[in-house]
Amino acid sequence: AQGSAPRMVMQMVAAAIAVQPSVGTPALDRPSTSPPKSGLAFWHHFFASSPPPPPPSAAAYPSALSFDRSFLFGVATAPAHVEDNLHDAWLPFCNTTELHPNGRPHCHAWRTTPRAAERLRFWSEPEAEIGLAAALNSGVFRMGVDWSRLAPTSPSAFPNASAPVAPACSAFCEAREEAKVGASPGAPPEGCACSGVQDFVALARYREIVGMAKAKGMKVVLTLFHHSLPKWALADGGWTNGALVDYFAAFSADVVDALAADTEFLITFNEPTVFVMLTHCAGIWPPGPKKSTSQGLRCLAPIVGDYARAVWNIQAAHRAVYADAKARGRGSALKIGVAHNVGYNVAEHVWDEAATAVAKALLKFSFIDAIRDTLDFCGLNYYGKEITRGGSIAIRDDEEYSESGREL
């Protein structure tokens, strides 16, 4: 699914080019006749008739690599991938039959796995996965905390000062502040929700899980946001809603207070540009439904489009978390950064350069450039090479692919 983000950009760029009345013809030495000038016919002609490039040369690869002790190998998880008893936005999205043309559950796992909602039971039985990671001699264990588990109710439910429940709600939230490192102070009054973490029993469970990984000799990399928004946040517009910046900062401050002492690295956001593209522009991640090409193009509009608004808010949220942690002394030993999707994007032909350049600008460089002064590190999530062919990713017979379908 993550390879869909650059593909989505390229499809939109190709669609924008295709609707032009005419397209210039590249000066190419080919035996075929001149291609037609209309947009769609032009691209179809060159996609169909372009000869493949020669196979790559047989470069000499080292037979063995060595790493010093400072290089750490590890494994990574995400709450939406592994946690059971998690009523996040992915659960109804994957189990619904309304989004699939054949009336089947929307996500493949829900059609092939007997108890898909249990995922890997990491919440109930974390020792199983942690034990497997330790058996691999992992030096690092990356895990996340789920925002919807720790804050199941929208902070916007907090009543205004004139509401009858306001005094009781204020008292509850004050008690909650005092009980951060212990149990939750009971259920909130009806109509009341606090900012930040709301379920400190769940936060204490996360602290136990972090301790399990540390006990196995692994450093912990903690992710605050890994491709899963609370359902209440999606209902309020997701990351296009500027209110989420303060909500996320308050939530993150509570998590950092509780877990920073046992965490070496903190990732505020995992692949934020991919999340925004597939959630807000493509609609193939919760809440759906899938967006049309015209909707996707509007999403990518500079400044006013949903992509630009959401990315700007995520950047602001990252800066807020970073500044708060450093100001309160939590960031002195804790290294704070992001995990960023970085593909090796290559244009198959000269006329594919435009789509490739847009994909690089949107998904690769601009996000990191904007927050570079608030990064202790930048994690790179690399999946493989992606060759641009018009509005999609080319699958070529002369290239090598991994078992997961990633080009090497």
Side-chain angles (χ1 to χ4, degrees):
Q2 294 176 7
S4 301
R7 184 178 299 112
M8 178 75 180
V9 174
M10 294 163 190
Q11 288 172 343
M12 293 174 185
V13 173
I17 294 173
V19 298
Q20 302 300 318
S22 64
V23 180
T25 305
L28 297 173
D29 183 15
R30 60 171 70 241
S32 59
T33 58
S34 298
K37 293 296 184 69
S38 66
L40 289 173
F42 172 86
W43 292 109
H44 175 76
H45 174 89
F46 276 108
F47 298 160
S49 59
S50 298
S57 59
Y61 293 98
S63 58
L65 296 174
S66 61
F67 299 86
D68 63 35
R69 292 184 179 274
S70 66
F71 194 96
L72 299 174
F73 288 91
V75 297
T77 65
H81 298 163
V82 299
E83 289 186 11
D84 55 317
N85 296 323
L86 181 60
H87 303 289
D88 60 350
W90 283 96
L91 199 60
F93 176 80
C94 283
N95 202 29
T96 184
T97 59
E98 297 177 0
L99 298 174
H100 196 278
N102 296 326
R104 296 184 296 174
H106 186 53
C107 294
H108 185 73
W110 265 252
R111 303 194 295 267
T112 60
T113 307
R115 296 182 298 276
E118 294 184 10
R119 298 171 235 208
L120 296 185
R121 296 185 58 82
F122 185 72
W123 184 253
S124 299
E125 303 170 3
E127 59 277 2
E129 301 302 319
I130 291 173
L132 289 171
L136 292 172
N137 292 324
S138 298
V140 172
F141 187 79
R142 180 182 167 191
M143 57 173 283
V145 293
D146 189 80
W147 192 1
S148 60
R149 185 188 291 280
L150 294 177
T153 305
S154 171
S156 65
F158 190 93
N160 59 47
S162 61
V165 73
C169 190
S170 297
F172 169 81
C173 290
E174 289 175 4
R176 182 209 68 121
E177 289 293 315
E178 296 174 359
K180 276 184 177 181
V181 295
S184 296
E190 185 177 354
C192 171
C194 306
S195 183
V197 168
Q198 298 162 5
D199 188 342
F200 283 89
V201 172
L203 185 58
R205 175 59 170 168
Y206 276 124
R207 191 162 54 248
E208 290 178 359
I209 296 173
V210 169
M212 292 178 191
K214 295 281 289 184
K216 292 290 187 178
M218 294 182 284
K219 296 180 181 295
V220 174
V221 178
L222 188 71
T223 306
L224 296 174
F225 183 87
H226 199 141
H227 292 168
S228 184
L229 269 174
K231 287 179 280 189
W232 55 261
L234 285 172
D236 289 339
W239 279 108
T240 63
N241 182 355
L244 259 63
V245 175
D246 290 339
Y247 295 160
F248 185 76
F251 154 77
S252 300
D254 288 344
V255 173
V256 171
D257 279 345
L259 304 181
D262 293 319
T263 303
E264 280 73 19
F265 298 93
L266 182 74
I267 294 173
T268 55
F269 290 91
N270 180 80
E271 299 185 357
T273 57
V274 172
F275 176 83
V276 173
M277 184 65 66
L278 299 187
T279 299
H280 292 288
C281 296
I284 60 176
W285 280 4
K290 186 176 181 179
K291 305 293 181 64
S292 66
T293 299
S294 61
Q295 289 174 318
L297 287 171
R298 288 196 297 272
C299 178
L300 291 175
I303 302 176
V304 298
D306 284 352
Y307 181 87
R309 292 164 55 206
V311 166
W312 191 93
N313 287 330
I314 289 175
Q315 290 167 348
H318 167 83
R319 294 189 197 98
V321 173
Y322 185 93
D324 179 75
K326 298 296 183 180
R328 293 187 295 132
R330 294 291 186 179
S332 56
L334 181 66
K335 303 301 181 183
I336 304 173
V338 297
H340 190 51
N341 182 291
V342 179
Y344 176 37
N345 305 109
V346 179
E348 185 173 35
H349 303 292
V350 65
W351 49 88
D352 298 316
E353 292 287 356
T356 305
V358 172
K360 288 179 179 179
L362 282 178
L363 301 175
K364 188 180 296 186
F365 299 122
S366 60
F367 186 90
I368 297 299
D369 287 345
I371 62 170
R372 62 186 181 275
D373 294 333
T374 53
L375 288 175
D376 296 330
F377 69 91
C378 178
L380 303 181
N381 290 356
Y382 176 74
Y383 300 96
K385 179 181 177 183
E386 293 177 334
I387 299 178
T388 308
R389 178 190 291 167
S392 187
I393 303 297
I395 305 298
R396 300 174 57 95
D397 293 336
D398 56 351
E399 296 285 345
E400 185 178 1
Y401 295 85
S402 69
E403 292 181 351
S404 62
R406 302 288 185 176
E407 188 172 354
L408 304 180

